[in-house]
Amino acid sequence: ANKSSFAKQFAKVADVYVSDNFGTAHRAHASVARIPDLLPSYAGFLVESEVDALERIIKNQERPVVVVLGGAKLETKLPLIERFIKLGSETLVGGTLANTLFSARGIEIGKSVIDEKFVEKVRYLKSKRLHLPVDVCVAHVATGRVRVASVDDVARDESIFDVGPDTIKLFDSIIKKARTIVWNGPMGFAEVAKFSRGTKEVARAIQMSHAFSIVGGGDTLAILKKYKLLGRFNHVSTGGGAMLEFLAGKKLPGIEALKRKL
């Protein structure tokens, strides 16, 4: 609740406060945003490296910029999509995000998971710089037989579990041209090996590129770690929501509290 009384209990046991948890910097909690008003406060080395890397994306990025977004949580990723499209960046979308955009456009997605609250809100979201899958891997159930289908050939009793090979080629061709890349969210149900190809190929494409690359998000990092693909990114962010909000231009309470001490 960000109560001053609770923050004072923490402050009593310390002489100096060092904030080194970027992953919660977007939360207005007493331990994040209130203690810096009560003690001499500083950013730790991790928070410093996070801010430096993410500010490079916003202020000093090399173009072309490519943003790769997957997974779910459209609520946190929509502001980022909107901002980077306005900035002229190429945005590649997979996972539940892509399913939701397909549904908003009236494309049959069968029983695929979508973010129903945002279908209406993203009907307007169209741009030549917004790239959705052109083919997908579908199955009746996650344990069933998988087939590759074009996006207009998904049956009503099927679900989308990954992007298809033509989409991988499309995304790879765009990533190769990038000089700056931001990635948050898997391309499909990558926790299951047979639906991990899209995510793994995107990872490899980014790692093989000549771009300055940042990857973040708990699900993304867990999957990359699982498949031993966490290396060769320029920066691996410890923040999921914090990273997205920072790049979307929002002020993070935990960072703003430290700035007040400068």
Side-chain angles (χ1 to χ4, degrees), residues 96-111:
T96 301
L97 271 65
N99 296 345
T100 305
L101 289 167
F102 283 141
S103 181
R105 297 180 181 188
I107 297 172
E108 176 63 59
I109 56 167
K111 296 180 178 179

Side-chain angles (χ1 to χ4, degrees), residues 41-103:
S41 300
Y42 306 90
F45 295 130
L46 184 146
V47 167
E48 182 181 41
S49 67
E50 290 274 14
V51 172
D52 287 346
L54 295 175
E55 281 192 338
R56 176 172 174 175
I57 298 295
I58 297 172
K59 298 179 180 179
N60 302 306
Q61 81 273 46
E62 290 186 62
R63 293 182 172 275
V65 178
V66 172
V67 180
V68 184
L69 295 173
K73 298 181 181 178
L74 188 54
E75 181 177 7
T76 59
K77 292 169 184 172
L78 182 56
L80 193 64
I81 294 173
E82 293 173 326
R83 185 180 196 196
F84 276 88
I85 286 176
K86 287 181 181 178
L87 292 173
S89 305
E90 305 292 336
T91 302
L92 317 181
V93 180
T96 301
L97 271 65
N99 296 345
T100 305
L101 289 167
F102 283 141
S103 181

